[in-house]
């Protein structure tokens, strides 16, 4: 089983839509979790950490289900500027990246 | 805001040549990392470095790769004899245990795009 697995997309949504990304992980990537954002040909940038109780940062909500080894990211009221690749990342002594889910927000 | 810098931004080299990729981590950080991303693929861990030695390396990081911290500010990745499959974006990252997220909160440089012909 891949350490961190994501649906690659692409997700094409209209502005204002709510979009959800999912991610599963294996035991080797299971200490902590993050969502990163990567714009085309740029470096990954930390979007938010994922806490066991779930956490929210503005329009972004992250959830963790340890029993199912499942992580999610919800983006509400999506903006054109949200278009990017969203990387689900685990920590197992180093960052362990999923392959990313591409999001395209259209006018 | 402090940032990680990398040079060069792009490098083209012939197969079999040696390349050195350079990184300047954030000045008070103690943990340093190299990752690579082959075009269209995921970001992959190569190596972590702490206290002037390698703390962990991946299967990718074979004998043709080496890292060094030659002075107090630079962190380099050397590829001794490049292969076509080494073509990728190479990202340097740094972190500090003193940050709220500790070692796990890594700051990435903008990357060096390496093309091996």
């Amino acid at each position: 089983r891949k350490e961190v697995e994501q649906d690659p997309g692409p997700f094409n949504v209209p502005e204002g839509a709510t979009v959800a990304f999912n991610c599963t992980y294996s035991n080797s990537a299971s200490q902590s979790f993050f969502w990163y954002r990567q714009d085309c040909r740029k470096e990954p940038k930390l979007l938010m950490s994922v806490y066991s109780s779930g956490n929210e940062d503005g329009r972004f909500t992250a959830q963790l289900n340890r029993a199912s080894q499942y992580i999610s990211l919800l983006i509400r009221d999506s903006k054109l500027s949200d278009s990017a690749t969203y990387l689900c990342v685990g920590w197992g002594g180093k960052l362990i990246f999923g392959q990313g889910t591409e999001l395209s927000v259209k006018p | 805001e402090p940032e990680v810098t990398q040079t060069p931004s792009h490098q083209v080299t012939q197969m079999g040549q040696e390349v050195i990729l350079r990184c300047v981590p954030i000045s008070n950080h103690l943990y340093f990392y190299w990752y690579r991303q082959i075009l269209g693929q995921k970001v992959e861990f190569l190596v972590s470095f702490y206290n002037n030695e390698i703390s962990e390396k991946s299967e990718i990081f074979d004998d043709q790769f080496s890292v060094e911290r030659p002075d107090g500010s630079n962190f380099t990745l050397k590829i001794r004899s490049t292969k076509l499959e080494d073509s990728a974006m190479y990202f340097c990252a740094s972190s500090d245990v003193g940050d709220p997220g500790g070692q796990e909160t890594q700051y990435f440089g903008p990357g060096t795009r390496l093309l091996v012909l």
Side-chain angles (χ1 to χ4, degrees):
Chain A
R1 182 179 181 177
K2 290 183 186 173
E3 292 179 292
V4 178
E5 200 156 354
Q6 296 179 251
D7 179 347
F11 283 49
N12 297 304
V13 303
E15 261 186 300
T18 294
V19 60
F21 304 133
N22 303 316
C23 166
T24 56
Y25 66 89
S26 66
N27 290 335
S28 59
S30 62
Q31 293 177 33
S32 310
F33 304 95
F34 311 90
W35 284 99
Y36 275 71
R37 171 193 169 125
Q38 186 175 31
D39 292 282
C40 188
R41 297 176 179 265
K42 301 284 181 112
E43 73 273 25
K45 292 192 175 173
L46 179 64
L47 183 64
M48 57 198 303
S49 302
V50 185
Y51 302 121
S52 295
S53 54
N55 48 300
E56 190 173 303
D57 183 2
R59 298 181 293 110
F60 299 84
T61 301
Q63 299 230 303
L64 167 63
N65 182 325
R66 285 197 182 271
S68 304
Q69 294 187 287
Y70 172 94
I71 302 154
S72 65
L73 176 69
L74 186 77
I75 305 176
R76 287 181 299 280
D77 187 25
S78 51
K79 314 283 185 201
L80 297 177
S81 56
D82 293 334
S83 296
T85 297
Y86 289 82
L87 308 175
C88 179
V89 185
W91 173 260
K94 68 266 190 184
L95 293 178
I96 301 167
F97 287 81
Q99 69 267 44
T101 299
E102 187 183 339
L103 172 67
S104 180
V105 182
K106 306 289 188 190
Chain B
E1 184 178 319
E3 57 184 22
V4 177
T5 59
Q6 289 185 242
T7 54
S9 58
H10 293 78
Q11 174 129 19
V12 182
T13 191
Q14 295 290 325
M15 193 168 58
Q17 295 296 303
E18 174 182 288
V19 296
I20 297 176
L21 310 183
R22 292 184 166 78
C23 169
V24 179
I26 293 173
S27 63
N28 61 330
H29 283 187
L30 300 177
Y31 296 87
F32 313 116
Y33 309 84
W34 284 101
Y35 295 84
R36 81 169 184 193
Q37 186 174 31
I38 295 170
L39 188 63
Q41 297 187 24
K42 65 179 181 179
V43 177
E44 301 174 288
F45 168 78
L46 290 178
V47 66
S48 57
F49 192 86
Y50 170 72
N51 201 25
N52 284 320
E53 60 184 29
I54 290 174
S55 9
E56 187 173 351
K57 58 185 181 181
S58 71
E59 293 175 351
I60 304 166
F61 195 88
D62 62 22
D63 291 344
Q64 69 160 342
F65 290 92
S66 62
V67 288
E68 196 177 33
R69 187 150 163 85
D71 53 43
S73 59
N74 288 285
F75 179 51
T76 62
L77 174 69
K78 183 192 289 187
I79 310 175
R80 259 182 278 283
S81 177
T82 49
K83 306 190 194 78
L84 297 177
E85 55 264 37
D86 293 328
S87 295
M89 181 76 104
Y90 288 81
F91 293 109
C92 172
S94 70
S95 65
D96 180 34
V97 68
D99 273 351
Q103 188 184 344
E104 301 160 18
T105 302
Q106 297 187 10
Y107 298 82
F108 282 76
T112 293
R113 185 168 297 282
L114 176 66
L115 178 60
V116 182
L117 301 176

